[in-house]
Amino acid sequence: MRTEDLTSTEKTEQSIKKVLQKHRLSGNCHMVTFQLEFQILEIQSKERLSSVITDLNIIMEPTEYSELSDFVSRAEDRRDLLMFFQSLHFFVEWCEYRQRTFEHFKEKYPEAVRLPEGAVSSCMAVRSPREPGFELIIVWRIQIDDGGKVLPKLDLLTKAPRRALQLDETRVLETAPRGFRALLGVLGIEAALESLVKSLGVGEDH
Amino acid sequence: TAGTLNLGLGVLAHLERLETQTNRSRKNLDPQTETAESALEAKIHKLRCLRDKLRAEVKERQARVKASTASVEPDQTLEVNEQEAVEGKQENMKAILQAYRFTGLSGKLTSRGVCVCISTAFEGNLLGSYFVDLVIQKPLRIHHHSIPVFIPLEEISAKYLQTNIQHFLFCLCEHLNAYAGRKYQADQLQSDFAGFLAGPLRRNSLCNLLSFTYKVEPHGQSFPFCARLLYKDLTTTLPTDVTITYQGTDALSTSWEEQRVCHENLFLTKPLHQVFTSFTRKGEKLDMSLVS
């Protein structure tokens, strides 16, 4: 992180002293680079000293993470510097975990697993080598809620040949997304994905 | 001698001619052009003086520069540059350390381990800082700290300190920021909206249980509402339980009941001082309507 303390002006008004600090800060959190410019107004009166962030501007270098732009606007509006740093930290951690997990499955099952968006993919497609018409697509989004909490959100999309859908009397394919969410709760992310891949008969020799 | 005399006569004659010429031209002079001429002459004089002054200044500066560069030896300039570079780096380090405080979590190495500083803020207001001095040993332990006694530090340490120090710090951060936010709201209510309260705001040190009696209209005589706010979740700055009771002398009508319910909702969704700001605004609107 690099910082630049720009100016400091003082205005005195009776027994109240006001100091305006301007800061410019640039840094990065792993692969995400940002630059901040903010102002802090310090007001010292007889009873108390208050320090308020009066202006916050955040410039992010364009990333593949589209989820960040909303979050950054919110942090700017609320002048919430702390939330920006902490949420960014957790967000990037989750992104790295997601990338590691997807890459692990790609390595383990190179024939069956496909990452449509490349290394920083937000989804993983699993295809059965024996039945290429069937595909399970796991979508893993990382969201930052209104309070700055970072939450992973996983969903399952299914793709099957029309004939298979007609034969699907027990509506397995229809209920698969709900089942997947339940499975996540029980096994956790990695084990749930592993079991999905195995369910397509990948890596088995019949 | 005849020659010089002739020359002298010639010169004299020439001078005479010039004199008559000047006299004649003087007689032809207009008083207006005379003043214009003298004005221009004065201006020329002024500009010449300014030019001379600037020339002198330039010369002086050039002399000064020559003198200063001549007096500094080449070795000294290199040393000065090096020292400046080191000072620059120091300034940069100090600035970076200060910058880390803005992230809410910063630390510095100590002889025993590390001292972590947690800074708190609420809605852009920078509030207090707390520190935890950790000793890097097996097991990791806290040497000393400035965490208030009502923050469950032992509980959080027991859960995370030995297994996941990052989580320990973030959890502590959460609790401290929430406490600072709640305290800020209570302080704001006490100082800025004291006129709306009957008596002082009652609170506990953790600021997660507040109780007060209040009114909505700034010029009202009675304080019809009694509020009790409980913040069960110590990591939030909004209450989890709000109970408003109507204790006015009027018979309980639907409008009072509506207000009561509305208030309960307000206190659950907005920070305390903002709720009272909205009461003030409503009161102002009411006044305006009375005037018109």
Side-chain angles (χ1 to χ4, degrees):
Chain A
M1 268 216 281
R2 200 167 35 86
T3 188
E4 230 178 279
D5 201 351
L6 295 171
T7 57
S8 174
T9 56
E10 241 178 79
K11 281 179 265 172
T12 44
E13 210 182 83
Q14 300 163 335
S15 60
I16 300 172
K17 180 169 146 194
K18 295 183 186 176
V19 178
L20 183 68
Q21 299 175 344
K22 291 189 188 172
H23 297 270
R24 190 191 292 147
L25 211 150
S26 60
N28 68 288
C29 184
H30 296 268
M31 67 309 235
V32 177
T33 315
F34 53 82
Q35 189 166 303
L36 305 173
E37 273 181 20
F38 55 97
Q39 295 184 345
I40 297 181
L41 180 64
E42 274 184 7
I43 303 177
Q44 169 106 60
S45 67
K46 278 180 285 157
E47 301 98 32
R48 49 185 167 164
L49 166 68
S50 73
S51 235
V52 188
I53 300 173
T54 52
D55 189 39
L56 175 60
N57 280 305
I58 304 174
I59 305 161
M60 304 281 285
E61 216 143 288
T63 64
E64 302 92 355
Y65 307 118
S66 52
E67 303 100 322
L68 275 178
S69 53
D70 275 341
F71 160 68
V72 167
S73 313
R74 241 181 293 143
E76 269 183 346
D77 285 341
R78 294 197 209 155
R79 297 164 281 126
D80 203 336
L81 205 54
L82 258 53
M83 179 185 82
F84 170 74
F85 282 116
Q86 290 181 356
S87 301
L88 184 64
H89 167 91
F90 283 119
F91 178 82
V92 170
E93 256 194 18
W94 269 108
C95 286
E96 298 207 312
Y97 175 58
R98 176 177 66 185
Q99 193 177 331
R100 275 201 310 273
T101 311
F102 281 169
E103 279 173 355
H104 158 82
F105 282 104
K106 175 84 187 138
E107 237 180 78
K108 195 170 174 190
Y109 306 106
E111 303 295 319
V113 172
R114 185 173 63 92
L115 300 177
E117 292 162 18
V120 285
S121 196
S122 65
C123 59
M124 177 174 106
V126 188
R127 196 184 305 175
S128 165
R130 287 175 296 131
E131 301 283 351
F134 287 87
E135 201 171 45
L136 293 176
I137 300 167
I138 298 122
V139 183
W140 186 346
R141 272 184 282 260
I142 297 163
Q143 296 174 333
I144 310 178
D145 78 1
D146 207 52
K149 235 191 175 101
V150 180
L151 306 154
K153 199 159 181 293
L154 286 95
D155 264 313
L156 182 69
L157 298 173
T158 57
K159 192 173 113 177
R162 205 173 298 163
R163 181 90 177 97
L165 286 170
Q166 288 167 350
L167 289 170
D168 184 13
E169 286 167 22
T170 50
R171 289 160 56 232
V172 168
L173 286 170
E174 226 180 278
T175 58
R178 218 182 311 144
F180 175 62
R181 280 194 283 276
L183 193 66
L184 278 174
V186 173
L187 295 179
I189 297 174
E190 275 181 56
L193 292 184
E194 178 83 31
S195 69
L196 263 186
V197 175
K198 289 248 176 72
S199 73
L200 282 181
V202 177
E204 285 172 23
D205 291 304
H206 280 314
Chain B
T1 47
T4 22
L5 198 62
N6 270 336
L7 196 63
L9 282 171
V11 172
L12 273 171
H14 187 67
L15 282 170
E16 249 183 304
R17 262 177 279 147
L18 282 173
E19 211 177 15
T20 43
Q21 225 180 12
T22 335
N23 284 336
R24 227 182 278 149
S25 64
R26 269 221 193 104
K27 281 191 193 137
N28 287 340
L29 273 176
D30 214 2
Q32 264 187 341
T33 50
E34 208 175 348
T35 47
E37 241 186 41
S38 60
L40 282 171
E41 270 179 8
K43 199 172 179 185
I44 290 170
H45 180 76
K46 229 168 119 183
L47 287 169
R48 281 197 184 127
C49 282
L50 183 61
R51 178 201 63 189
D52 293 337
K53 195 171 137 210
L54 288 169
R55 274 191 187 154
E57 230 176 284
V58 167
K59 271 203 181 129
E60 195 201 340
R61 282 199 187 186
Q62 279 175 343
R64 257 193 279 151
V65 168
K66 248 189 190 164
S68 64
T69 50
S71 66
V72 175
E73 290 167 35
D75 289 6
Q76 272 187 341
T77 47
L78 192 65
E79 251 179 56
V80 163
N81 285 340
E82 265 181 36
Q83 196 183 347
E84 271 177 16
V86 168
E87 271 173 22
K89 276 201 186 138
Q90 260 188 338
E91 282 302 312
N92 200 31
M93 282 309 299
K94 275 194 210 155
I96 291 181
L97 282 172
Q98 198 207 14
Y100 268 100
R101 293 196 86 237
F102 289 121
T103 64
L105 204 58
S106 60
K108 55 180 202 258
L109 294 175
T110 62
S111 53
R112 291 175 290 261
V114 66
C115 184
V116 181
C117 176
I118 299 172
S119 311
T120 58
F122 180 69
E123 292 189 335
N125 291 280
L126 303 177
L127 305 167
S129 302
Y130 306 89
F131 74 87
V132 178
D133 204 342
L134 296 167
V135 181
I136 310 274
Q137 272 180 357
K138 275 236 167 178
L140 199 62
R141 74 184 166 83
I142 299 172
H143 181 71
H144 62 281
H145 63 85
S146 68
I147 312 286
V149 69
F150 40 80
I151 301 283
L153 179 62
E154 288 81 35
E155 214 179 282
I156 301 170
S157 311
K159 264 199 224 166
Y160 306 115
L161 186 57
Q162 304 306 329
T163 51
N164 188 346
I165 187 143
Q166 203 185 61
H167 204 140
F168 164 75
L169 289 172
F170 276 124
C171 191
L172 202 53
C173 220
E174 244 188 342
H175 276 80
L176 286 167
N177 268 288
Y179 159 68
R182 292 192 302 267
K183 180 171 182 297
Y184 176 80
Q185 290 176 61
D187 288 343
Q188 289 291 101
L189 177 59
Q190 188 87 69
S191 63
D192 293 359
F193 300 99
F196 283 86
L197 304 178
L201 171 71
R202 285 192 296 277
R203 53 161 126 174
N204 62 348
S205 25
L206 190 50
C207 286
N208 75 326
L209 180 57
L210 307 175
S211 130
F212 50 93
T213 309
Y214 69 99
K215 63 181 171 183
V216 185
E217 280 136 49
H219 306 300
Q221 296 296 328
S222 65
F223 298 84
F225 295 106
C226 196
R228 183 178 176 272
L229 273 63
L230 176 65
Y231 304 71
K232 265 201 216 132
D233 185 353
L234 294 182
T235 63
T236 61
T237 52
L238 284 175
T240 49
D241 298 90
V242 172
T243 320
I244 310 270
T245 48
Y246 173 71
Q247 53 170 42
T249 46
D250 302 344
L252 192 62
S253 62
T254 42
S255 74
W256 283 121
E257 181 56 25
E258 270 171 19
Q259 267 196 36
R260 195 192 67 79
V261 172
C262 171
H263 291 186
E264 274 185 355
N265 201 36
L266 276 174
F267 284 117
L268 276 170
T269 52
K270 278 167 98 171
L272 201 51
H273 56 300
Q274 279 179 27
V275 176
F276 278 88
T277 309
S278 65
F279 287 162
T280 321
R281 285 212 200 103
K282 260 194 236 154
E284 280 167 12
K285 271 199 221 147
L286 207 67
D287 282 343
M288 291 303 288
S289 66
L290 286 172
V291 168
S292 59

